[in-house]
Amino acid sequence: VLRQLVAWVGQEEFMAGVREYFRKHAWQNTELPDLLAELEAASGRDLKEWSTEWLETAGVNTLRAEIATGGDGTIGSFTIIQSAVPEHPTLRRHRLAVGFYNLDEDGRLVRTHRVELDVDGERTEVPELAGLQRPALVLLNDDDLVYAKIRLDEASLRTSRTHLKDFAESLPRTLGWGSAWDATRDGETPAREYVELVLNNVAFETDSSVVMVLLRQLATTLAYYVRPDDRERISGAAADRLWQLSGQAAAGSDSQLQFVKAFAGLARSQDQLDAVAGLLSGERTLEGLTVDADLRWELLTALVAGGRFGQADIDAELERDATATGQRAAALARAAIPTPEAKAEAWDAVVVSGELPNAIQQSVIAGINRVHDTALLEPNAEKYFAAIKDVWTSRTHEIAQQIVVGLYPSRLTTQDTVERTDRFLAELGSGYPALRRLVLENRDGVVRALKAQAADR
């Protein structure tokens, strides 16, 4: 919001207003209305409506481009469409830039044109873009001036699936990633296309934290947003591709390690589990990859979840690594054993006895949810709704929140889960507002997943 304020009033006017404000007011007497008054005076902008829109309303707007082109690719009209969710219908004023990107002779996506403008209301015409040649990719919110969700038009989406990695600058590439993820989560583009986008471009990211986020989002997409009847095939293909990327990554790089971990988390087929087992035993190697204690636990847990390893293997690994980290990893692995008995035992340890230390409980909850077949989680759904009110009133806040959020049957992304949740909330009433909020947030996740699955065609 502060960045949008700077864009709205202008950088020079913003700094002039800030300087004038602090000339008149001591730091300890900071008051937002006084600051806005100085900014208004410096910029000549009316900030009262801006303050109401941005500081007194909730929700995030979505911006998309409506582009009409002729047969020769010339833009006839360019309109920015703004929308809001029904629960928070405020349409705001935004100061943003539109960037045109084309492939240069070296195959890089470079900016070839930029225009900065004010967006106000549902439709904002941009006449200065009419008559220009339509570029390979149009990026609303170029330079990241605005706080809003951005959608790429269909032609720009096609370009990004192949060439997102080819942006000459990192910021527009990051904005492209964010736009694609938002559209997937909101059920506007097929989840399988996001899977394809990540697998085609993630190897070219050099920032370890960006790679980590993208791989987490890939796992979420496969677990929740891909259509269930096609999930096994798409997940299997994604695992194969991650194994390939592991071998192609720079030896000893963070990306190599992250690709291996992501591959192990998705490994399902016999060939994939053979590769995981080979890395754990040392029979297979990747140049530069160090299979340390942490990675050993990742690989072992993948084999446990895949039905290859069991309790004896977990105990043996715990003898090798009897550290506190090893204890937590072993707890997760035990809860990941893919049998009804192991899942029931882990559930009882968390919900019934309630004697686990905080960190161990967190690991057990993660292990319970580590399944290839979500049918293993179905017995927990009714038990969850029967137990969480008592859990909420009898445990510490942190422990109770772990259980309420972590054991919610979110992997059972069905309408039945939504209806069970609604029945629980109706019976709960208004006496437990914090518990109600957490359960509602859990419910929203399932509703979001169902919408995304419906769009995955």
Side-chain angles (χ1 to χ4, degrees):
V1 173
L2 180 62
R3 186 168 64 247
Q4 179 59 193
L5 180 57
V6 174
W8 182 253
V9 303
Q11 178 71 35
E12 292 182 6
E13 292 84 356
F14 179 84
M15 292 310 301
V18 170
R19 284 193 296 269
E20 184 63 18
Y21 170 82
F22 285 116
R23 187 184 68 79
K24 295 179 179 178
H25 305 277
W27 280 96
Q28 62 267 27
N29 295 322
T30 298
E31 294 288 347
L32 185 59
D34 294 332
L35 175 57
L36 290 176
E38 296 298 343
L39 293 175
E40 193 171 83
S43 66
R45 293 267 198 172
D46 182 356
L47 297 182
K48 293 181 180 64
E49 290 185 16
W50 183 93
S51 176
T52 299
E53 291 174 2
W54 283 96
L55 303 179
E56 300 174 27
T57 60
V60 181
N61 297 124
T62 299
L63 304 172
R64 67 188 77 232
E66 183 180 270
I67 309 169
T69 57
D72 61 353
T74 301
I75 295 174
S77 64
F78 192 108
T79 307
I80 298 175
I81 309 298
Q82 179 179 187
S83 61
V85 296
E87 297 83 359
H88 304 290
T90 301
L91 296 181
R92 299 181 177 90
R93 291 175 291 176
H94 305 268
R95 182 73 181 179
L96 59 75
V98 178
F100 281 12
Y101 288 82
N102 285 295
L103 291 166
D104 68 7
E105 59 186 12
D106 296 320
R108 300 180 306 165
L109 268 178
V110 297
R111 186 164 67 192
T112 54
H113 189 73
R114 179 185 184 276
V115 60
E116 190 171 319
L117 69 148
D118 294 335
V119 170
D120 191 359
E122 184 178 355
R123 298 176 64 86
T124 301
E125 302 290 337
V126 191
E128 53 263 59
L129 296 179
L132 299 180
Q133 192 71 17
R134 198 201 191 291
L137 187 144
V138 174
L139 183 61
L140 299 185
N141 194 27
D142 201 13
D143 295 324
D144 196 23
L145 300 180
V146 66
Y147 177 68
K149 292 181 179 181
I150 305 300
R151 299 289 189 257
L152 297 180
D153 63 276
E154 189 57 41
S156 298
L157 270 174
R158 287 195 298 271
T159 297
S160 72
R161 289 182 198 124
T162 304
H163 296 292
L164 189 61
K165 63 183 184 297
D166 297 320
F167 273 108
E169 304 292 336
S170 61
L171 180 56
R173 184 170 66 250
T174 299
L175 294 171
W177 281 123
S179 174
W181 175 238
D182 284 338
T184 301
R185 293 178 72 244
D186 291 344
E188 293 191 13
T189 58
R192 64 192 63 210
E193 292 184 3
Y194 186 74
V195 172
E196 178 185 356
L197 180 73
V198 172
L199 294 174
N200 284 345
N201 294 277
V202 68
F204 298 88
E205 288 290 346
T206 56
D207 188 301
S208 179
S209 61
V210 173
V211 174
M212 178 181 66
V213 169
L214 292 173
L215 293 177
R216 285 179 179 172
Q217 291 173 347
L218 173 66
T220 297
T221 302
L222 292 168
Y224 295 99
Y225 301 152
V226 168
R227 202 173 68 213
D229 61 0
D230 225 5
R231 181 174 295 144
E232 184 174 353
R233 179 186 66 82
I234 294 175
S235 295
D240 286 339
R241 178 64 176 140
L242 286 167
W243 178 241
Q244 183 182 26
L245 292 176
S246 301
Q248 295 171 347
S253 65
D254 286 343
S255 290
Q256 180 190 56
L257 177 60
Q258 293 192 68
F259 292 152
V260 168
K261 288 182 176 181
F263 162 71
L266 292 175
R268 301 288 190 274
S269 71
Q270 294 307 307
D271 286 345
Q272 291 164 359
L273 292 172
D274 284 345
V276 173
L279 288 175
L280 182 61
S281 67
E283 295 175 7
R284 291 197 184 191
T285 59
L286 292 174
E287 183 182 356
L289 180 69
T290 300
V291 183
D292 59 11
D294 289 341
L295 182 55
R296 285 187 62 85
W297 280 114
E298 296 263 3
L299 300 173
L300 180 140
T301 303
L303 294 169
V304 170
R308 287 283 189 93
F309 279 11
Q311 185 63 56
D313 304 285
I314 298 169
D315 293 341
E317 192 64 29
L318 187 56
E319 286 188 12
R320 293 174 54 107
D321 179 22
T323 63
T325 300
Q327 294 284 350
R328 293 194 295 271
L332 191 157
R334 281 193 293 269
I337 295 174
T339 65
E341 295 78 14
K343 297 298 181 185
E345 181 179 347
W347 175 275
D348 288 346
V350 172
V351 179
V352 179
S353 66
E355 297 176 355
L356 296 175
N358 189 0
I360 295 294
Q361 174 179 284
Q362 191 171 27
S363 295
V364 173
I365 289 173
I368 290 173
N369 290 310
R370 184 73 178 268
V371 295
H372 295 178
D373 182 4
T374 56
L376 284 167
L377 300 177
E378 290 176 0
N380 293 344
E382 283 299 333
K383 292 193 294 184
Y384 172 87
F385 292 111
I388 58 170
K389 183 177 176 181
D390 287 340
V391 165
W392 188 257
T393 57
S394 63
R395 312 286 176 90
T396 66
H397 176 76
E398 184 174 0
I399 291 291
Q401 182 167 313
Q402 271 187 11
I403 295 171
V404 171
V405 175
L407 290 182
Y408 180 81
S410 56
R411 291 292 303 278
L412 304 178
T413 50
T414 64
Q415 188 60 35
D416 183 60
T417 298
V418 176
E419 292 170 1
R420 283 176 171 178
T421 307
D422 289 341
R423 289 195 296 271
F424 170 81
L425 290 170
E427 294 170 1
L428 183 66
S430 58
Y432 301 87
L435 173 59
R436 184 180 186 83
R437 176 180 57 80
L438 291 175
V439 175
L440 277 170
E441 289 173 355
N442 290 334
R443 179 191 185 277
D444 287 347
V446 175
V447 171
R448 180 187 295 277
L450 290 172
K451 183 179 179 183
Q453 289 173 14
D456 187 39
R457 295 288 187 269

